[in-house]
Amino acid sequence: MAAYTTIDNPELFFQVKLYTGNGSAGHAITLDGSEDMQPDIVWIKQRDSRDHFLFDSINGATKYIAPNLDQSEQTDANTMTGFDSDGFTLGNGVGCNESDDTHVAWCWKTGTAFSNDASSTGIGSIDSSGSVSTTAGVSICSYTGSGSAATVKHGLSTKPNLMIVKNRPTASKDVQVYSPVDDPTDALALNQADATGDSNVYWNDTAPTSSVFSVHSGATNTSGASTTGYIFHNVQGFSKFGSYTGNGNADGVFVHLGFKPALIIIKRTNSSSAWWVLKDNKRSHSNGNNVNKYIIYPNDSSAEGTDSNHMDLLSNGFKYRDSAAAGNSSGNPFIYLAWAEQPFVNSNGVPCNAK
């Protein structure tokens, strides 16, 4: 029988962190837990109306993309200035460290460097390098685009279920998402509310394998452009990427994850009016129960909202508590991206605390 999970403590690989800015350079943010976690991907959103900031250790501190925009990579020494052994350090810039304003950071650890000379290894057709955690099923993959059909080593040992790829130097290039419904003909952008569209431009109509993913042209493979992919696969008890159909009912759909979620991102895939929706375990439960009413929109800079997209974060999954169009409209398809706070059952077969 397979283990319930290989990760008893998800905080070693993923954490949600709330903090208050102080407006001063050198503001160190320490992540939680008894064991240090040095993040390699840090996605920051001021809970007021500001753009998102996404940093990674491969491209380096002070360099970021805004997941809600199609702009090129930005460099700003006043944003995030360092990846630390137990967190990260901030400059005095707006958006990441404004005095007295509250912020949320979603942080992943990869930790192990990899590189691939495609002509030498015979793996892929474009050289790549990055950082990976095969335990947590996450990698940062950096490569230079060729402008034509190609394959790229992603660093993982299992076929990816989710890929988020950004052409960094070129403006007007969307943040492309390979959807967990596993349809390589689909195009979906994190910075847009658009529905999925049929296109071979981004993934070459080819599903990824346990060693490589396919690209064609456009935002995922512009000739000469430095490109970064954030690549994930399902890990039992830690992460899960999938789909469900809404029921349009206040007694909404329950989605079984096998863990208590720390972060959930949802997108209705057949509507251009339904935005991406993001919920997490730190901005919730203000009334002492399961219901999470706080929402951030990954494709928009607007302030955190408290609209009708109410959701229960449970010990083994999540459940909608209304018929909101963005999360549970009747008969419509949705994808979800989820990472764990704790597994439902640990590696010794012991159930974790219910919620």
Side-chain angles (χ1 to χ4, degrees):
M1 178 178 177
Y4 294 99
T5 183
T6 55
I7 300 176
D8 285 332
N9 182 7
E11 285 192 340
L12 295 177
F13 299 96
F14 174 76
Q15 290 191 30
V16 182
K17 179 68 177 181
L18 300 184
Y19 67 91
T20 301
N22 67 8
S24 299
H27 186 25
I29 306 301
T30 302
L31 297 179
D32 301 323
S34 58
E35 299 180 66
D36 290 344
M37 196 272 262
Q38 179 170 335
D40 292 285
I41 303 171
V42 178
W43 178 354
I44 294 172
K45 176 68 173 77
Q46 183 178 311
R47 295 168 74 182
D48 204 344
S49 182
R50 292 287 186 187
D51 287 328
H52 299 245
F53 293 77
L54 178 56
F55 305 87
D56 68 66
S57 60
I58 298 304
N59 292 288
T62 76
K63 297 181 179 181
Y64 68 91
I65 62 169
N68 61 301
L69 298 173
D70 63 0
Q71 70 179 13
S72 60
E73 175 186 86
Q74 304 294 300
T75 301
D76 187 341
N78 296 316
T79 55
M80 198 184 96
T81 57
F83 293 88
D84 305 331
S85 62
D86 58 358
F88 53 93
T89 299
L90 300 167
N92 61 359
V94 299
C96 291
N97 189 26
E98 291 188 61
S99 182
D100 298 325
D101 282 334
T102 57
H103 304 71
V104 57
W106 305 284
C107 307
W108 291 261
K109 178 180 180 178
T110 51
T112 301
F114 77 91
S115 62
N116 180 57
D117 182 334
S119 61
S120 297
T121 64
I123 300 173
S125 58
I126 298 178
D127 296 347
S128 62
S129 61
S131 182
V132 62
S133 170
T134 54
T135 301
V138 53
S139 77
I140 308 165
C141 174
S142 179
Y143 62 96
T144 299
S146 67
S148 58
T151 52
V152 185
K153 179 178 178 179
H154 47 62
L156 297 171
S157 56
T158 299
K159 175 183 175 180
N161 302 102
L162 167 68
M163 302 187 293
I164 302 171
V165 176
K166 181 69 175 80
N167 171 323
R168 300 186 77 88
T170 309
S172 301
K173 294 294 185 181
D174 289 332
V175 184
Q176 291 297 325
V177 178
Y178 181 88
S179 164
V181 298
D182 197 26
D183 185 349
T185 69
D186 277 352
L188 189 64
L190 185 60
N191 58 296
Q192 303 282 356
D194 295 347
T196 54
D198 183 43
S199 175
N200 71 344
V201 170
Y202 305 111
W203 315 115
N204 199 34
D205 283 355
T206 304
T209 72
S210 60
S211 58
V212 300
F213 65 97
S214 294
V215 291
H216 189 280
S217 55
T220 61
N221 194 30
T222 301
S223 180
S226 175
T227 306
T228 300
Y230 305 103
I231 317 295
F232 304 86
H233 67 72
N234 294 335
V235 174
Q236 187 168 322
F238 174 74
S239 61
K240 191 173 182 181
F241 317 105
S243 62
Y244 65 93
T245 301
N247 68 7
N249 197 301
D251 183 13
V253 172
F254 168 71
V255 177
H256 181 267
L257 299 173
F259 54 80
K260 179 181 178 181
L263 171 63
I264 299 171
I265 302 174
I266 287 170
K267 177 71 175 80
R268 178 176 161 183
T269 57
N270 68 342
S271 172
S272 294
S273 61
W275 288 6
W276 291 85
V277 171
L278 185 155
K279 292 178 176 287
D280 62 60
N281 62 334
K282 297 297 178 69
R283 300 175 301 109
S284 62
H285 314 319
S286 60
N287 58 0
N289 60 30
N290 290 329
V291 178
N292 181 311
K293 63 180 181 179
Y294 299 102
I295 186 169
I296 282 174
Y297 304 100
N299 60 294
D300 193 77
S301 63
S302 59
E304 174 183 271
T306 57
D307 65 14
S308 62
N309 288 271
H310 291 178
M311 176 192 290
D312 283 350
L313 303 183
L314 304 169
S315 59
N316 60 348
F318 65 91
K319 180 179 177 68
Y320 258 94
R321 288 300 185 186
D322 60 65
S323 58
N328 190 34
S329 54
S330 181
N332 288 302
F334 297 84
I335 60 168
Y336 65 86
L337 324 173
W339 290 267
E341 175 184 338
Q342 65 179 22
F344 183 55
V345 178
N346 70 21
S347 62
N348 294 313
V350 178
C352 294
N353 294 332
K355 183 70 175 179

